[in-house]
Amino acid sequence: MIERYVWDLRDADEMQGAVVGGKGAHLGGLSRIDGVRVPEGFCVTTDAFRRVMAEAPSIDDQLDQLSRLDPDDREAVRRLSAQVRRTIEGIAVPDDLAAAITRALGRLGEQAAYAVRSSATAEDLPTASFAGQQDTYLNVMGRTEILRHVSRCWASLFTERAVTYRQRNGIDHRTVRMAVVVQRMAFPHASGVLFTADPVSGNRKVATVDAGFGLGEALVSGLVNPDVFTVRDGEVVAKTIAAKQRAVQALPAGGTQEVAIDAQQQEQPALTDAQVVRLVELGRRIEAHFGRPQDIEWCLVDDGFRIVQSRPITTLFPVPEAGDEENHVYVSVGHQQMMTDAMKPLGLSMWQLTAMVPMHAAGGRLFVDATRRLSSPAGRAALLDVMGKGDPLVRDALETVLDRDDFVPSLPDAVPGRPTAGGAPAPIDNDPAVVKELIERSRASVAALERNIRTRTGPELFDFLLEAFDEHKRVLGDPLSVQAIMAGMDATWWLNDKLQEWLGEKNAADTLTLSAPDNITSEMGLALLDVADVIRARPEVVAFLQDVEDEDFLGELAKVAGGAEARDAIEGYLDRYGMRCVGEIDITRPRWRERPTTLVPVLLDNVRNFAPGAAARRFEEGRRKAQEKEEDVLARLRALPDGDRKADETKRMIDRVRTFIGYREYPKYGIVSRYFVYKQALLAEAQRLVAADVLPAQEDVFYLTFQELHDVVRSHQVDGRLVQQRKDAFRAYQALTPPRVLTSDGEAVTGAYRRDDVPAGALVGLPVSVGTVEGRARVVLDMAEADLEAGDILVTTFTDPSWSPLFVGIAGLVTEVGGLMTHGAVIAREYGLPAVVGVAQATRLIRDGQRIRVHGTDGYVEILP
């Protein structure tokens, strides 16, 4: 019979987390696995916790106060959480609850020693482990002490670290309940932790075991360094045996103490290799039961292992589903698209449906399977060459995988004479009319989409969109468009290679591309300077904008003196660029048209930092510098042997770069323009679902894939649990850092710069825009919160085209993600900003306000004293 307040652990399983908490649910599940031994015990349920909390009405007010605290206000969190704990510990355990616990102790042995352990409902979840957030008490003896420690476990739901952890993970304190696990103590010879996947690399085929003598608290507390064993394919492949000078042992009368380890035993391994392999076999069984890699706490008692806890490893990046057992190598799409944030399901599926190549979703990000291209010599060479030009870290990561001879299969090249897919496009003439034609084609296609989608609703809308996606891909894959893009990029690489060879000058093309025509992204930044000119002349408008908070401020702006003209200027800007936003490849992200307040800080910075007419002056200055550079390069070339030929070839390539490099930015503008049209139609459909009481909120559609939303529109039924699961998963994915390269084994391969020409202590990256600049670092993670002064250096995670308005007011750029031809690099060169991209952990290693020196020509950043 299962009591309300006390359950035997063997009666629990993973589905009863709401009753017995995360730890209790996992222990119950573990006890059902063949061959896995779990110490006997019982669980004081969450009903008991509710009963006790009801005894103190003042708790409600305290939790209200706690929920309003800023998690960074550590002193306030510490003070109020301590008050809540004192309140809970002061509540007497009700008689009927105490009797139920006493009966359970009687069945197991009231005089035995027990471990009393917290088991919160928001603990050991797939998305948040909460490891170490609540309390565990070992070797507790006697009914009175056990009851007291059960109360202490209830109170530990409100430790400072637990409260802060919940607030940072968006978990409401009121929704979490505490159960308590009471288990017979295991008195081990050795104990430790088993990870069924490598917690550092993520490799799912590698297990690691940390082991020490005595109770596991010695390892958890950092009292000793553990022995570390690495196991692969049933064999210990590496081990480090530590000098274990101390251990934690149980005392006969209860409690624990530190003891010294005999000198002769200190450097003996805590486990034999055979025991390690047997433990990992148990771990694999547990992993298979729970369906994901596990972090397992174990004890070795006599000659058998006892499992005292198992929780998911929440820090591992998920692996794309391949549907086979073959090896796969995946390359991050986000690192190519300058958007490494997690995407919501609708955003993922829309990008997959409109992309030119198949993409696989994992961890809220997209990946391309590069295995087939890597398997043949020609495909491998071409892919490594492209990746190396874009992001050397991706190339190095791929080469790291290829160095493991047995991971990527080796296949022959295609039949000789047969053209390979994705081969070089045919060359085109240096004709500016080509670019004008391509831009007009794109505009016409978007205009047709806007006309034709207006009358489509319901299932008909989704059928129409599937056809629109085909047109989307046709425009994106237009052979002439591909030729124009490659013409500009190839000419850039030619100029950089040849001018370094002939003149010894690095990255000369950077100056030659300044103020190139038809660059929609750089025009976007300059156009906001023109808007600032309208605002600057109207002090009342400036004052109004400084206090703007509501997204509908444009209507109110017209009521201010001079506000009508300012509103028209901003509206005109939004008409052309309002479809853009940070992370714009995710259709669910709010666009500038939807959230125009994003632009207000940048506008005010432009008003403050620039004089009227800055846009035209900057463009003309860039054009003049490019012209002077061209004349200088050609003159120096003509002075060389065979100089006329070299100068003539270089002149053709300069003309080619200036004709086509600006167009490099237009296809993305076309994509995002179409995306905004799609989004408006889908949100209108979502609003109809809300009006029909099918969905509680319009934004819930963001957590469905395109096909799932299509099904909801047809059936007028939605699985609310699925939407909530997707929200929880998205929140967890936001905390993960996506790897540049990921293998099907789960190994995240980061790559490295193989360079010895960088000063000690400098941060290494990829040089993408020449020059050296020194200034104040402004670490900006949200464009809407940028506060920049002239001469500042922008440091951020990534920049997509939406960041371009900030570029006009800064002196240099440092990003964690990027390549030679990604948007941030292109615009940095366009504006003449020294820039280094691909600087690992730049936003953590560089503090906001520090002075730094950016070496854009040589690709490194110095942090100055």
Coordinates of all heavy atoms in Angstrom, one line a residue, residues 635-706:
A635 N 50.8 52.1 -59.4 CA 52.1 52.8 -59.6 C 53.2 51.9 -59.1 O 54.3 51.8 -59.8 CB 52.1 54.1 -58.9
R636 N 53.1 51.3 -58.0 CA 54.2 50.5 -57.4 C 54.3 49.2 -58.2 O 55.5 48.7 -58.4 CB 53.8 50.1 -55.9 CG 54.0 51.3 -55.0 CD 53.2 51.1 -53.7 NE 53.7 50.0 -53.0 CZ 53.0 49.4 -52.0 NH1 51.7 49.9 -51.7 NH2 53.5 48.4 -51.3
L637 N 53.2 48.7 -58.8 CA 53.4 47.5 -59.6 C 54.1 47.8 -60.9 O 54.9 47.0 -61.4 CB 52.0 46.9 -59.9 CG 51.2 46.2 -58.7 CD1 49.8 45.9 -59.1 CD2 52.0 44.9 -58.3
R638 N 53.8 48.9 -61.5 CA 54.4 49.2 -62.8 C 56.0 49.4 -62.6 O 56.7 49.3 -63.6 CB 53.8 50.5 -63.4 CG 52.4 50.3 -63.9 CD 51.9 51.4 -64.8 NE 50.6 51.0 -65.3 CZ 49.4 51.4 -64.8 NH1 49.4 52.2 -63.7 NH2 48.3 51.1 -65.4
A639 N 56.4 49.7 -61.4 CA 57.9 49.8 -61.2 C 58.6 48.5 -61.1 O 59.8 48.4 -61.0 CB 58.1 50.7 -60.0
L640 N 57.8 47.4 -61.1 CA 58.4 46.1 -60.9 C 58.7 45.4 -62.2 O 58.2 45.9 -63.3 CB 57.3 45.1 -60.2 CG 56.9 45.5 -58.8 CD1 55.9 44.5 -58.3 CD2 58.1 45.5 -57.8
P641 N 59.5 44.4 -62.3 CA 59.7 43.7 -63.5 C 58.4 43.1 -64.0 O 57.6 42.6 -63.2 CB 60.7 42.5 -63.1 CG 61.4 43.1 -61.9 CD 60.4 43.9 -61.2
D642 N 58.2 43.2 -65.3 CA 56.9 42.8 -65.9 C 55.7 43.6 -65.2 O 54.6 43.0 -65.1 CB 56.7 41.3 -65.7 CG 55.6 40.7 -66.6 OD1 55.3 41.4 -67.6 OD2 55.1 39.6 -66.3
G643 N 56.0 44.8 -64.8 CA 55.1 45.6 -64.1 C 53.8 46.0 -64.8 O 52.7 46.0 -64.2
D644 N 53.9 46.2 -66.1 CA 52.7 46.6 -66.8 C 51.6 45.5 -66.8 O 50.4 45.8 -66.6 CB 53.0 47.0 -68.3 CG 53.7 48.4 -68.3 OD1 53.7 49.1 -67.3 OD2 54.4 48.7 -69.3
R645 N 52.1 44.3 -67.0 CA 51.2 43.2 -67.0 C 50.5 43.0 -65.7 O 49.3 42.8 -65.5 CB 51.9 41.9 -67.4 CG 51.0 40.6 -67.4 CD 51.8 39.3 -67.6 NE 52.7 39.1 -66.5 CZ 52.3 38.6 -65.3 NH1 51.1 38.3 -65.0 NH2 53.3 38.4 -64.4
K646 N 51.4 43.1 -64.6 CA 50.8 42.9 -63.3 C 49.8 44.0 -62.9 O 48.8 43.8 -62.3 CB 52.0 42.9 -62.3 CG 52.9 41.7 -62.4 CD 54.1 41.8 -61.5 CE 55.0 40.5 -61.6 NZ 56.2 40.6 -60.8
A647 N 50.2 45.2 -63.4 CA 49.3 46.4 -63.1 C 47.9 46.2 -63.8 O 46.9 46.5 -63.3 CB 49.9 47.7 -63.5
D648 N 48.0 45.8 -65.1 CA 46.8 45.6 -65.9 C 45.9 44.5 -65.3 O 44.7 44.7 -65.2 CB 47.2 45.2 -67.3 CG 47.8 46.4 -68.1 OD1 47.6 47.6 -67.6 OD2 48.4 46.2 -69.2
E649 N 46.5 43.4 -64.9 CA 45.7 42.3 -64.2 C 45.1 42.8 -62.9 O 43.9 42.5 -62.6 CB 46.6 41.1 -63.9 CG 47.0 40.3 -65.2 CD 47.8 39.1 -64.8 OE1 47.9 38.7 -63.6 OE2 48.4 38.5 -65.7
T650 N 45.9 43.6 -62.2 CA 45.4 44.1 -60.9 C 44.2 45.1 -61.1 O 43.2 45.0 -60.4 CB 46.5 44.7 -60.1 OG1 47.5 43.7 -59.9 CG2 46.0 45.3 -58.8
K651 N 44.4 45.9 -62.1 CA 43.3 46.9 -62.4 C 42.0 46.2 -62.8 O 40.9 46.6 -62.3 CB 43.8 47.8 -63.6 CG 42.7 48.7 -64.1 CD 42.1 49.7 -63.1 CE 41.1 50.7 -63.7 NZ 40.4 51.4 -62.7
R652 N 42.1 45.1 -63.5 CA 40.9 44.3 -63.9 C 40.3 43.8 -62.6 O 39.0 43.8 -62.5 CB 41.2 43.2 -64.9 CG 41.4 43.7 -66.3 CD 41.3 42.6 -67.3 NE 42.4 41.6 -67.1 CZ 43.6 41.7 -67.6 NH1 43.9 42.7 -68.4 NH2 44.6 40.8 -67.4
M653 N 41.1 43.3 -61.7 CA 40.5 42.7 -60.5 C 40.0 43.7 -59.5 O 39.0 43.5 -58.9 CB 41.6 41.9 -59.8 CG 41.9 40.5 -60.5 SD 40.5 39.5 -60.6 CE 41.1 38.1 -61.4
I654 N 40.6 44.9 -59.5 CA 40.0 46.0 -58.7 C 38.7 46.4 -59.2 O 37.7 46.5 -58.5 CB 41.0 47.2 -58.6 CG1 42.3 46.8 -57.9 CG2 40.3 48.4 -58.0 CD1 43.3 47.9 -57.9
D655 N 38.6 46.5 -60.5 CA 37.3 46.9 -61.1 C 36.2 45.8 -60.8 O 35.1 46.1 -60.6 CB 37.4 47.0 -62.6 CG 38.2 48.3 -63.0 OD1 38.4 49.1 -62.1 OD2 38.6 48.4 -64.2
R656 N 36.7 44.5 -60.8 CA 35.8 43.4 -60.6 C 35.3 43.4 -59.1 O 34.1 43.2 -58.8 CB 36.5 42.1 -60.9 CG 35.6 40.9 -61.1 CD 36.5 39.8 -61.8 NE 35.7 38.6 -62.0 CZ 34.8 38.5 -63.0 NH1 34.6 39.5 -63.9 NH2 34.1 37.4 -63.2
V657 N 36.2 43.7 -58.2 CA 35.8 43.7 -56.8 C 34.8 44.9 -56.6 O 33.8 44.7 -56.0 CB 37.1 44.0 -55.9 CG1 36.7 44.6 -54.6 CG2 37.8 42.7 -55.7
R658 N 35.1 46.0 -57.1 CA 34.2 47.2 -56.9 C 32.9 47.0 -57.6 O 31.9 47.6 -57.2 CB 34.9 48.5 -57.3 CG 36.1 48.8 -56.4 CD 36.5 50.2 -56.5 NE 35.5 51.1 -55.9 CZ 35.3 51.4 -54.6 NH1 36.0 50.7 -53.7 NH2 34.4 52.2 -54.3
T659 N 32.8 46.2 -58.7 CA 31.6 45.9 -59.3 C 30.7 45.0 -58.5 O 29.5 45.2 -58.4 CB 31.8 45.4 -60.7 OG1 32.6 46.3 -61.5 CG2 30.5 45.0 -61.4
F660 N 31.3 43.9 -58.0 CA 30.5 42.8 -57.4 C 30.5 42.7 -55.9 O 29.6 42.0 -55.4 CB 31.0 41.5 -58.1 CG 30.7 41.4 -59.5 CD1 31.7 41.4 -60.5 CD2 29.4 41.4 -60.0 CE1 31.5 41.3 -61.8 CE2 29.1 41.3 -61.4 CZ 30.2 41.3 -62.3
I661 N 31.5 43.2 -55.2 CA 31.6 42.9 -53.8 C 30.4 43.4 -53.0 O 30.0 42.8 -52.0 CB 33.0 43.3 -53.2 CG1 33.3 42.6 -51.9 CG2 33.0 44.8 -52.9 CD1 33.4 41.1 -52.1
G662 N 29.9 44.5 -53.4 CA 28.7 45.1 -52.7 C 27.5 44.2 -52.8 O 26.7 44.1 -51.8
Y663 N 27.4 43.5 -53.9 CA 26.2 42.6 -54.1 C 26.2 41.4 -53.1 O 25.2 40.8 -52.8 CB 26.2 42.1 -55.5 CG 25.0 41.2 -55.8 CD1 23.7 41.6 -55.8 CD2 25.3 39.8 -55.9 CE1 22.6 40.7 -56.0 CE2 24.2 38.9 -56.1 CZ 22.9 39.4 -56.2 OH 21.9 38.5 -56.3
R664 N 27.4 41.1 -52.6 CA 27.5 40.0 -51.6 C 26.5 40.1 -50.5 O 26.1 39.1 -50.0 CB 29.0 40.0 -51.1 CG 29.2 39.3 -49.8 CD 29.3 37.8 -50.1 NE 29.6 37.0 -48.9 CZ 28.8 36.8 -47.9 NH1 27.5 37.2 -47.9 NH2 29.2 36.0 -46.8
E665 N 26.1 41.3 -50.2 CA 25.2 41.5 -49.0 C 23.7 41.4 -49.5 O 22.8 41.3 -48.6 CB 25.4 42.9 -48.4 CG 26.8 43.0 -47.7 CD 26.8 42.1 -46.5 OE1 26.0 42.3 -45.6 OE2 27.7 41.2 -46.5
Y666 N 23.4 41.5 -50.8 CA 22.0 41.6 -51.2 C 21.2 40.4 -51.0 O 20.0 40.4 -50.6 CB 21.9 42.2 -52.6 CG 20.5 42.8 -52.8 CD1 20.4 44.2 -52.5 CD2 19.4 42.1 -53.2 CE1 19.1 44.8 -52.6 CE2 18.2 42.7 -53.3 CZ 18.0 44.0 -53.0 OH 16.8 44.6 -53.1
P667 N 21.7 39.2 -51.4 CA 20.8 38.0 -51.2 C 20.3 37.8 -49.8 O 19.2 37.4 -49.6 CB 21.8 36.9 -51.6 CG 22.7 37.5 -52.6 CD 22.9 38.9 -52.1
K668 N 21.1 38.1 -48.8 CA 20.6 38.0 -47.4 C 19.5 39.0 -47.1 O 18.5 38.7 -46.5 CB 21.8 38.2 -46.4 CG 21.5 38.1 -44.9 CD 21.4 36.6 -44.6 CE 21.3 36.4 -43.1 NZ 22.6 36.5 -42.4
Y669 N 19.6 40.2 -47.7 CA 18.6 41.2 -47.6 C 17.3 40.6 -48.2 O 16.2 40.8 -47.7 CB 19.0 42.5 -48.2 CG 18.0 43.6 -48.3 CD1 17.7 44.3 -47.1 CD2 17.2 43.8 -49.4 CE1 16.8 45.4 -47.2 CE2 16.3 44.8 -49.5 CZ 16.1 45.6 -48.3 OH 15.1 46.6 -48.4
G670 N 17.4 40.0 -49.3 CA 16.3 39.4 -50.0 C 15.6 38.3 -49.2 O 14.4 38.2 -49.1
I671 N 16.5 37.5 -48.6 CA 15.9 36.4 -47.7 C 15.1 37.0 -46.6 O 14.0 36.5 -46.3 CB 17.1 35.5 -47.2 CG1 17.8 34.7 -48.3 CG2 16.6 34.6 -46.1 CD1 19.0 34.0 -47.9
V672 N 15.7 37.9 -45.9 CA 15.1 38.5 -44.7 C 13.8 39.3 -45.1 O 12.9 39.3 -44.3 CB 16.1 39.4 -43.9 CG1 15.5 40.0 -42.7 CG2 17.3 38.5 -43.5
S673 N 13.8 39.9 -46.2 CA 12.6 40.6 -46.7 C 11.5 39.6 -46.9 O 10.3 39.8 -46.5 CB 12.9 41.3 -48.0 OG 13.9 42.3 -47.9
R674 N 11.8 38.4 -47.5 CA 10.8 37.4 -47.7 C 10.3 36.8 -46.3 O 9.2 36.6 -46.1 CB 11.3 36.3 -48.6 CG 11.7 36.8 -50.0 CD 12.2 35.6 -50.8 NE 11.2 34.7 -51.2 CZ 10.4 34.8 -52.2 NH1 10.5 35.8 -53.1 NH2 9.4 33.9 -52.5
Y675 N 11.3 36.7 -45.4 CA 11.0 36.1 -44.1 C 10.0 37.0 -43.4 O 9.1 36.5 -42.7 CB 12.3 36.0 -43.3 CG 12.8 34.6 -43.2 CD1 12.8 33.8 -44.4 CD2 13.3 34.0 -42.1 CE1 13.3 32.5 -44.4 CE2 13.8 32.7 -42.1 CZ 13.8 32.0 -43.2 OH 14.3 30.7 -43.2
F676 N 10.1 38.3 -43.5 CA 9.2 39.2 -42.8 C 7.7 39.0 -43.4 O 6.8 39.0 -42.6 CB 9.6 40.6 -42.9 CG 8.9 41.5 -41.9 CD1 8.6 41.2 -40.7 CD2 8.5 42.8 -42.4 CE1 7.9 42.0 -39.8 CE2 7.8 43.7 -41.5 CZ 7.5 43.3 -40.2
V677 N 7.6 38.8 -44.6 CA 6.3 38.6 -45.3 C 5.7 37.3 -44.7 O 4.6 37.2 -44.4 CB 6.4 38.6 -46.8 CG1 5.1 38.3 -47.4 CG2 7.0 39.9 -47.3
Y678 N 6.6 36.2 -44.7 CA 6.1 34.9 -44.2 C 5.6 35.1 -42.7 O 4.6 34.6 -42.3 CB 7.2 33.9 -44.2 CG 7.9 33.6 -45.5 CD1 9.2 33.1 -45.5 CD2 7.3 33.7 -46.7 CE1 9.9 32.8 -46.7 CE2 7.9 33.5 -47.9 CZ 9.3 33.0 -47.9 OH 9.9 32.7 -49.0
K679 N 6.4 35.8 -42.0 CA 6.1 35.9 -40.5 C 4.8 36.7 -40.3 O 4.0 36.2 -39.5 CB 7.3 36.7 -39.8 CG 7.0 36.8 -38.3 CD 8.2 37.5 -37.6 CE 8.0 37.5 -36.1 NZ 9.1 38.1 -35.4
Q680 N 4.6 37.7 -41.0 CA 3.4 38.5 -40.8 C 2.1 37.6 -41.1 O 1.1 37.7 -40.4 CB 3.4 39.7 -41.7 CG 4.4 40.8 -41.3 CD 4.5 41.9 -42.3 OE1 4.8 41.7 -43.4 NE2 4.2 43.2 -41.8
A681 N 2.2 36.8 -42.2 CA 1.1 35.9 -42.5 C 0.9 34.9 -41.4 O -0.2 34.6 -41.1 CB 1.4 35.3 -43.9
L682 N 2.0 34.3 -40.9 CA 1.9 33.2 -39.9 C 1.4 33.8 -38.6 O 0.6 33.1 -37.9 CB 3.2 32.5 -39.7 CG 3.7 31.7 -40.9 CD1 5.1 31.2 -40.7 CD2 2.7 30.5 -41.1
L683 N 1.8 35.0 -38.2 CA 1.3 35.6 -37.0 C -0.2 36.0 -37.1 O -0.9 35.9 -36.1 CB 2.1 36.8 -36.6 CG 3.5 36.6 -36.0 CD1 4.2 37.9 -35.7 CD2 3.4 35.8 -34.8
A684 N -0.6 36.4 -38.3 CA -2.1 36.6 -38.5 C -2.8 35.3 -38.3 O -3.9 35.3 -37.7 CB -2.3 37.2 -39.9
E685 N -2.3 34.2 -38.8 CA -2.9 32.9 -38.6 C -2.9 32.6 -37.1 O -3.9 32.0 -36.6 CB -2.2 31.9 -39.4 CG -3.0 30.7 -39.8 CD -4.2 31.0 -40.6 OE1 -4.1 31.9 -41.5 OE2 -5.3 30.5 -40.3
A686 N -1.8 32.8 -36.4 CA -1.8 32.5 -35.0 C -2.8 33.3 -34.2 O -3.4 32.8 -33.3 CB -0.4 32.8 -34.5
Q687 N -3.0 34.6 -34.6 CA -4.0 35.4 -33.9 C -5.4 34.9 -34.1 O -6.2 34.9 -33.2 CB -3.9 36.9 -34.5 CG -4.6 37.9 -33.6 CD -4.2 37.8 -32.1 OE1 -3.0 37.9 -31.8 NE2 -5.1 37.7 -31.2
R688 N -5.7 34.3 -35.3 CA -7.0 33.7 -35.5 C -7.1 32.4 -34.6 O -8.2 32.1 -34.1 CB -7.1 33.3 -37.0 CG -7.5 34.5 -37.9 CD -7.8 34.1 -39.3 NE -6.6 33.9 -40.1 CZ -6.0 34.8 -40.8 NH1 -6.4 36.0 -40.7 NH2 -4.9 34.5 -41.5
L689 N -6.0 31.7 -34.4 CA -6.1 30.5 -33.5 C -6.3 31.0 -32.0 O -7.0 30.3 -31.3 CB -4.8 29.7 -33.6 CG -4.5 29.0 -34.9 CD1 -3.1 28.5 -35.0 CD2 -5.5 27.9 -35.1
V690 N -5.7 32.1 -31.6 CA -5.9 32.6 -30.3 C -7.4 33.1 -30.1 O -8.1 32.8 -29.1 CB -5.0 33.8 -30.0 CG1 -5.4 34.5 -28.7 CG2 -3.6 33.4 -29.9
A691 N -7.9 33.7 -31.1 CA -9.3 34.2 -31.1 C -10.3 33.0 -31.0 O -11.4 33.1 -30.4 CB -9.6 35.0 -32.3
A692 N -9.9 31.8 -31.6 CA -10.7 30.6 -31.6 C -10.5 29.8 -30.4 O -11.0 28.6 -30.3 CB -10.5 29.8 -32.8
D693 N -9.7 30.3 -29.4 CA -9.3 29.6 -28.2 C -8.6 28.3 -28.4 O -8.6 27.3 -27.6 CB -10.6 29.3 -27.3 CG -11.2 30.5 -26.8 OD1 -10.4 31.5 -26.4 OD2 -12.4 30.6 -26.7
V694 N -7.9 28.2 -29.6 CA -7.0 27.0 -29.8 C -5.7 27.2 -29.2 O -5.1 26.3 -28.6 CB -6.9 26.8 -31.4 CG1 -5.9 25.7 -31.7 CG2 -8.2 26.6 -32.0
L695 N -5.2 28.4 -29.2 CA -3.9 28.8 -28.5 C -4.1 29.8 -27.5 O -4.9 30.7 -27.7 CB -2.9 29.3 -29.6 CG -2.2 28.4 -30.6 CD1 -1.4 29.2 -31.5 CD2 -1.4 27.4 -29.8
P696 N -3.4 29.7 -26.3 CA -3.5 30.8 -25.3 C -2.7 32.0 -25.7 O -3.1 33.1 -25.3 CB -2.9 30.1 -24.1 CG -2.0 29.0 -24.6 CD -2.6 28.5 -25.9
A697 N -1.7 31.9 -26.5 CA -0.9 33.1 -26.9 C -0.4 33.0 -28.3 O 0.0 31.9 -28.7 CB 0.3 33.3 -25.9
Q698 N -0.3 34.1 -29.0 CA 0.2 34.1 -30.4 C 1.6 33.5 -30.5 O 1.9 32.8 -31.4 CB 0.1 35.6 -30.9 CG 0.4 35.8 -32.4 CD 0.3 37.2 -32.7 OE1 0.8 38.1 -32.0 NE2 -0.3 37.5 -33.9
E699 N 2.5 33.9 -29.6 CA 3.9 33.5 -29.7 C 4.0 32.0 -29.5 O 5.1 31.4 -29.7 CB 4.7 34.2 -28.7 CG 5.0 35.7 -29.1 CD 3.7 36.5 -28.8 OE1 2.8 36.1 -28.0 OE2 3.6 37.7 -29.3
D700 N 3.0 31.2 -29.0 CA 3.1 29.8 -28.8 C 3.4 29.1 -30.2 O 4.0 28.0 -30.2 CB 1.8 29.2 -28.2 CG 1.8 29.5 -26.7 OD1 2.7 30.0 -26.2 OD2 0.7 29.1 -26.1
V701 N 3.1 29.7 -31.3 CA 3.3 29.1 -32.6 C 4.8 29.0 -32.8 O 5.3 28.2 -33.6 CB 2.6 29.8 -33.7 CG1 1.1 29.8 -33.6 CG2 3.2 31.2 -33.9
F702 N 5.6 29.8 -32.2 CA 7.1 29.8 -32.4 C 7.7 28.5 -31.9 O 8.8 28.1 -32.3 CB 7.8 30.9 -31.6 CG 7.4 32.3 -32.2 CD1 7.6 33.4 -31.4 CD2 6.9 32.5 -33.4 CE1 7.3 34.7 -31.8 CE2 6.6 33.8 -33.9 CZ 6.8 34.9 -33.1
Y703 N 6.9 27.8 -31.0 CA 7.4 26.5 -30.5 C 6.9 25.3 -31.2 O 7.1 24.1 -30.7 CB 7.1 26.4 -29.0 CG 7.8 27.5 -28.2 CD1 7.1 28.8 -28.0 CD2 9.1 27.4 -27.8 CE1 7.8 29.8 -27.3 CE2 9.8 28.5 -27.2 CZ 9.1 29.7 -26.9 OH 9.7 30.7 -26.3
L704 N 6.3 25.5 -32.4 CA 5.9 24.4 -33.3 C 6.7 24.5 -34.6 O 7.1 25.6 -35.0 CB 4.4 24.6 -33.6 CG 3.4 24.6 -32.4 CD1 2.0 24.9 -32.9 CD2 3.4 23.2 -31.7
T705 N 6.9 23.4 -35.2 CA 7.5 23.5 -36.5 C 6.5 23.9 -37.5 O 5.3 24.0 -37.2 CB 8.0 22.1 -36.9 OG1 6.9 21.2 -37.1 CG2 9.0 21.5 -35.9
F706 N 6.9 24.3 -38.7 CA 6.0 24.7 -39.8 C 4.9 23.7 -40.0 O 3.7 24.0 -40.1 CB 6.8 25.0 -41.0 CG 6.0 25.5 -42.2 CD1 5.6 26.8 -42.3 CD2 5.5 24.5 -43.2 CE1 4.8 27.2 -43.4 CE2 4.8 24.9 -44.2 CZ 4.4 26.3 -44.4

